[in-house]
Amino acid sequence: MTATAPPVGEPDRTQPRNTPASPAAARLLRLLPAAVAALCGVLLYISFPPRTLWWLALPAFAGLGWALRGRGWKAGLGLGYLFGLGFLLPLLVWTGVEVGPGPWLALAAIEAVFVALVGAGVAVVSRLPGWPLWAAALWTAGEAARARVPFEGFPWGKIAFGQADGLFLPLAAVGGTPVLGFAVVLCGFGLHEAVRAAVRARRTGRIRRSAAAAALLTVAVPVLGALAARPLVSAEAEDGTATVAVIQGNVPRAGLDFNAQRRAVLDYHARETERLAAEVEAGKADRPDFVLWPENSSDIDPFANADARAVIDRAARAIGAPISVGGVVERDGRLLNEQILWDPDKGPVDTYDKRQIQPFGEYLPLRSLIGAINDEWTSMVSQDFSRGTEPGVFTMAGTEVGLVTCYEAAFDWAVRSEVTDGAQLISVPSNNATFDRSEMTYQQLAMSRVRAVEHSRTVTVPVTSGVSAIIMPDGRITQKTGMFVADSLVQEVPLRSSQTPATRLGVAPEIVLVLVAAGGLGWAVAAGVRGRRAGGV
């Protein structure tokens, strides 16, 4: 009689199991996959910044592969959810720093649903030949969905964003965050399969060459691909250089009311700019070609307040260079998170309005429903911001500077659009004062490092309260500030205009990987149907 594979969705009972010594041992054995899934989620979190333990992502996915392989989709759903909670609960704790645990717990619980669905899919494809390939593609598909829904998506926690210090980083230049993340997950699942093949060979004394070769390939190909991609990573200047100044003025207080003291934040940034101007005049600092201020660096609208305009004018004339100023502006009844190009002679000459605005921070979805639950939440976002519609590339002293405001750095399309629109350098003006000294600023800084390699551009990160930084096109941080200090960074940086494969391909690699995931899932489901029919004959 020929043994058949169990139908897809049913647990694999063909493998021998050791009989536990007692009912208590049996219960512990049943709980082991759940514990492993949750702990591997925590391990994945530990691999993320501010720690530089990027390689822990590999055993995290190897452990998840052990927990999921051969199980039914329902078990995969639950185990995937536990893995998601183990990862996202500690990763996103900063979202509750000022507003309490409710929003943080709700966000993590909702985002973990995407991981649960991926877990169910991985369990289904885990009986296919070369299952790590299909499983890694499914993870990429889950990230693609999470980056788009609900409420325009929330890509925070993409696997790629934990790899700024890692071996696989050059793959960002090949296919962006989808390819980088796919390679890490594939290598992790492949590591589990390689260990499994080695254990089987030791136990049986026989090596299944095809299975062992497939397992080794899933580990080797991502590593070799990353090494082969290294020539794409360069910090050489293509269009000359520019001397840039990044200003961190600090804020009078941390928290949601960081700008409660009228004009204080603006005055802090103007004061730091004027201090730098004095150092330039004294020959203690290089003269910048242009100056970059953070998001919300003007805490009052400079178009509506003459005193704010005068402060910025004075700072621009003192430094003798154009400044990109972040402000909240009301125009034609619309509230805008805006970057303003401020010329020392002409004043404001160009603007960029943030396009990817933050749900529950800059606008409130489902306002009436949320207000019925807790009216305090609606008072925190009393007026919704409007979205910008055009990419923001400022011409500053002959340099094309692309603007990606804070939260936008998490979205692939928002960064790429600035580069395809001609940016030779990218600036990520941010305001992290509302998140105190949490890990949020380090997670966001890592995103900017990945974007630098992805598009081969210098990236500057001016932040109101830190950490501000200058990042080379190869992802290296060459200067950075502390947190909650006034400081400035001045550096000559390379300008580049060539496009990486990732820039040219755009969303295409992600689409391909989603199609691979769909193909693997379809194959597994069809195989399960055939198995059930054969079993019923």
Side-chain angles (χ1 to χ4, degrees), residues 111 114 140-155 158 178 356 411-413 506-508 510-511 514:
E111 294 298 309
F114 291 91
T140 304
E143 287 192 338
R146 198 160 65 84
R148 290 166 173 83
V149 293
F151 312 126
E152 305 294 326
F154 187 74
K158 272 188 163 187
Q356 189 70 45
F411 292 83
D412 295 346
W413 67 267
V507 76
E510 186 176 57
I511 292 173
V514 170

Side-chain angles (χ1 to χ4, degrees), residues 124-413:
V124 170
V125 302
S126 67
R127 297 185 188 90
L128 295 178
W131 72 269
L133 172 69
W134 315 111
L138 278 165
W139 184 275
T140 304
E143 287 192 338
R146 198 160 65 84
R148 290 166 173 83
V149 293
F151 312 126
E152 305 294 326
F154 187 74
W156 214 279
K158 272 188 163 187
I159 299 304
F161 297 149
Q163 297 295 310
D165 291 292
L167 168 70
F168 299 98
L169 181 60
L171 289 170
V174 176
T177 60
V179 167
L180 173 53
F182 170 78
V184 174
V185 179
L186 175 62
C187 197
F189 284 141
L191 179 63
H192 160 70
E193 196 64 6
V195 171
R196 181 172 170 271
V199 170
R200 185 196 303 117
R202 184 173 181 179
R203 187 177 65 242
T204 64
R206 292 180 299 169
I207 299 176
R208 294 174 56 188
R209 292 183 180 179
S210 60
L216 290 175
L217 280 173
T218 56
V219 176
V221 168
V223 173
L224 294 175
L227 295 175
R230 290 182 70 179
L232 295 173
V233 181
S234 173
E236 296 296 319
E238 294 176 337
D239 304 317
T241 62
T243 299
V244 59
V246 170
I247 301 296
Q248 177 175 301
N250 204 5
V251 295
R253 61 179 69 84
L256 295 176
D257 61 344
F258 74 97
N259 61 352
Q261 186 177 337
R262 186 184 187 278
R263 221 187 70 188
V265 177
L266 173 58
D267 287 347
Y268 281 17
H269 285 81
R271 185 182 308 147
E272 182 60 26
T273 304
E274 289 165 1
R275 187 196 65 79
L276 175 61
E279 288 197 347
V280 170
E281 291 301 319
K284 297 179 181 179
D286 293 335
R287 183 175 296 278
D289 296 312
F290 52 89
V291 179
L292 301 169
W293 283 10
E295 176 189 33
N296 301 149
S297 46
S298 180
D299 49 359
I300 58 175
D301 185 347
F303 295 106
N305 295 273
D307 58 334
R309 183 180 184 119
V311 168
I312 301 171
D313 275 335
R314 186 172 65 247
R317 286 195 297 269
I319 198 67
I323 304 176
S324 178
V325 177
V328 175
V329 172
E330 189 164 358
R331 184 180 298 116
D332 301 324
R334 301 168 68 225
L335 194 63
L336 302 165
N337 187 337
E338 191 163 83
Q339 287 290 309
I340 308 162
L341 175 53
W342 209 283
D343 185 88
D345 299 318
K346 301 176 184 178
V349 294
D350 200 358
T351 59
Y352 166 64
D353 300 323
K354 186 176 182 181
R355 293 170 293 166
Q356 189 70 45
I357 57 177
Q358 183 182 352
F360 305 100
E362 293 173 308
Y363 79 100
L364 196 62
L366 309 174
R367 180 176 288 274
S368 58
L369 175 62
I370 291 172
I373 298 171
N374 189 331
D375 57 4
E376 289 185 8
W377 292 349
T378 59
S379 65
M380 291 180 187
V381 188
S382 57
Q383 182 179 352
D384 292 342
F385 279 80
S386 296
R387 301 176 186 273
T389 57
E390 300 294 331
V393 179
F394 288 168
T395 302
M396 303 183 74
T399 298
E400 300 299 307
V401 179
L403 283 305
V404 180
T405 305
C406 196
Y407 182 60
E408 291 182 319
F411 292 83
D412 295 346
W413 67 267

Side-chain angles (χ1 to χ4, degrees), residues 481-499:
T481 70
M483 294 184 72
F484 293 99
V485 294
D487 204 351
S488 58
L489 308 174
V490 180
Q491 186 174 322
E492 185 180 11
V493 298
L495 303 177
R496 295 176 62 87
S497 56
S498 63
Q499 294 188 0

